[in-house]
Each structure stands twice: as C-alpha cells, then as structure tokens.
Amino acid sequence: MRKRLLRLMEEHQGEVMTSKEIADRASTRWTWSPTVVQIAMLCRGCKQIIEVGDIDITTALSRYRGKLWMYQELPESGE
C-alpha cells in the first residue's frame, strides 16, 4: 500500500494535495478506496511525503479540515 501511494505521489511531484484529493485519486486507480484517515497515516509514515500545512474549507453544506501533503525526493546519502 505504501509503494502504491509513493508511486501516485511521485507522479504528482511538486503538487500540494489534501488527504482527500489523494484518496480520491487513489480510489480511481486501485481496486479499493482508501479512507482519508488511512491516507494521512500512510503519508505520515513516508519520509518522501512531507506535510506542508493545514486546510479548513467550510461550505454551506459541509466542512473539511485536513492536512496538505507534497512528495519530495530524498537526497542521496553517502555524498
């Protein structure tokens, strides 16, 4: 599951996405639909995916509070 998430985030490198956006994109590609909480937990556990902030969107019908994530290449070690 982590490898799939890393591949998905690598394809969108440099793009800041919410946990919900990542979950929505993953559900269209994978045979199962991950929850927003599952995506956030996976992102926290990956060194290549960094948290860049919080988001709070309120509309007349709903409210979404979540994290913003971005993929970042790890520097090569040993140099």
Side-chain angles (χ1 to χ4, degrees), residues 5 9 22 38-47 49 69:
L5 176 64
M9 293 297 289
I22 298 168
Q38 287 174 321
I39 292 295
M41 288 172 43
L42 284 169
C43 287
R44 279 192 188 102
C46 293
K47 292 179 183 178
I49 301 174
W69 306 98

Side-chain angles (χ1 to χ4, degrees), residues 56-71:
D56 189 351
I57 300 171
T58 305
T59 66
L61 301 174
S62 65
R63 181 174 187 194
Y64 174 75
R65 294 178 68 198
K67 301 287 183 189
L68 294 170
W69 306 98
M70 186 171 87
Y71 181 86

Side-chain angles (χ1 to χ4, degrees), residues 5-38:
L5 176 64
L6 284 173
R7 265 188 261 130
L8 177 78
M9 293 297 289
E10 190 174 10
E11 289 174 13
H12 298 281
Q13 189 170 359
E15 187 177 338
V16 177
M17 293 187 284
T18 65
S19 301
K20 175 139 180 47
E21 289 172 323
I22 298 168
D24 289 345
R25 290 180 185 189
S27 67
T28 61
R29 297 174 58 171
W30 303 346
T31 56
W32 56 277
S33 298
T35 65
V36 173
V37 174
Q38 287 174 321

